[in-house]
Amino acid sequence: MTPRPRIPPLRAPRLRIAHTADLAPAGLRAVRDLLDVAFDGDFSDEDYDHCLGGVHALVYDGAGLAAHGAVIMRRVRHRGRWLRVGYVEAVAVRADARRTGLGGRVMGALERVVDRAYDVGAVSASDAGARLYAARGWQVWAGRIAAHGPDGVVRLPEDEGSTFVRPALAGSLDPAHELVFDWRDGDVL
C-alpha cells in the first residue's frame, strides 16, 4: 500500500495587534505591498504615511499577510471643543481572502481600540469600504466636514457623505455643527 502524501494542516488566520513601533521593517514592507495591490496601485506615499504611528490590526494566514487596518490619533473640533479621534486608515484584504470575514476581524480589533482610547471614531470610506462600515454600525456623518489648514478652516465638501463616525459617541455629536479635522499633507481625510 502506498502511503498517502502528508497534507499540511490549514492554518487558521491569526490576528496580531501591534503599534507601528513594534513592526519590523519586513512587516511594514508587507503592509505596504498589501495596500499597493489591494488599492490597485492607487495608494500614495502620503496615504501610507497616514497609517503609521498608531495601532495596526494584521491578519496572517498560510500565505502571509491577508488583511490590515490601522487606527491613528487625529484631532477634530466640534462645537468649540477639540476631540481625540481614533481615525481608521488603510483597511485592506488580500484579493484571494476577501469575503471571508477578515475585514470584520480587522475592524473588530480597531473598534475595540477606538472605543477604549478615543472620544470618537471616524473613517473616510471608499464605495467598497462603506458597505463594511455601515454593516458594522458606523454612521455616515450628516453634517459639514472641514479641516483646519495652514490658511484657516477649509470646507471639504468632497468628503461629506463618505465620512463615517463610530456610534458610541455619535449621539453626542450634532450634525448642525461641522467637524473640523486637523490638517495633513495629501488627502486631508
Side-chain angles (χ1 to χ4, degrees), residues 13-32:
R14 179 179 53 89
L15 175 68
R16 177 181 178 207
I17 307 301
H19 191 277
T20 301
D22 296 322
L23 297 176
L28 289 170
R29 180 80 253 157
V31 168
R32 179 59 196 250

Side-chain angles (χ1 to χ4, degrees), residues 37 44 59 79 81 102 179:
V37 171
S44 71
V59 178
R79 298 173 70 177
R81 180 174 167 232
L102 298 185
L179 293 178

Side-chain angles (χ1 to χ4, degrees), residues 32-124:
R32 179 59 196 250
D33 291 346
L34 172 68
L35 296 170
D36 284 340
V37 171
F39 287 95
D40 295 322
D42 191 25
F43 201 81
S44 71
D45 290 341
E46 289 152 334
D47 293 331
Y48 178 66
D49 188 58
H50 293 168
C51 82
L52 302 176
V55 176
H56 300 260
L58 308 111
V59 178
Y60 298 91
D61 63 10
L65 182 61
H68 171 271
V71 61
I72 55 103
M73 192 182 108
R74 299 208 47 200
R75 304 289 281 175
V76 67
R77 191 178 72 211
H78 182 67
R79 298 173 70 177
R81 180 174 167 232
W82 285 98
L83 303 171
R84 289 178 311 111
V85 176
Y87 200 84
V88 174
E89 292 282 2
V91 176
V93 178
R94 201 178 59 226
D96 67 320
R98 291 183 183 145
R99 307 281 181 250
T100 62
L102 298 185
R105 283 188 70 186
V106 164
M107 285 305 299
L110 298 179
E111 288 163 355
R112 181 181 160 279
V113 172
V114 167
D115 292 348
R116 293 182 179 188
Y118 295 98
D119 296 321
V120 68
V123 61
S124 182

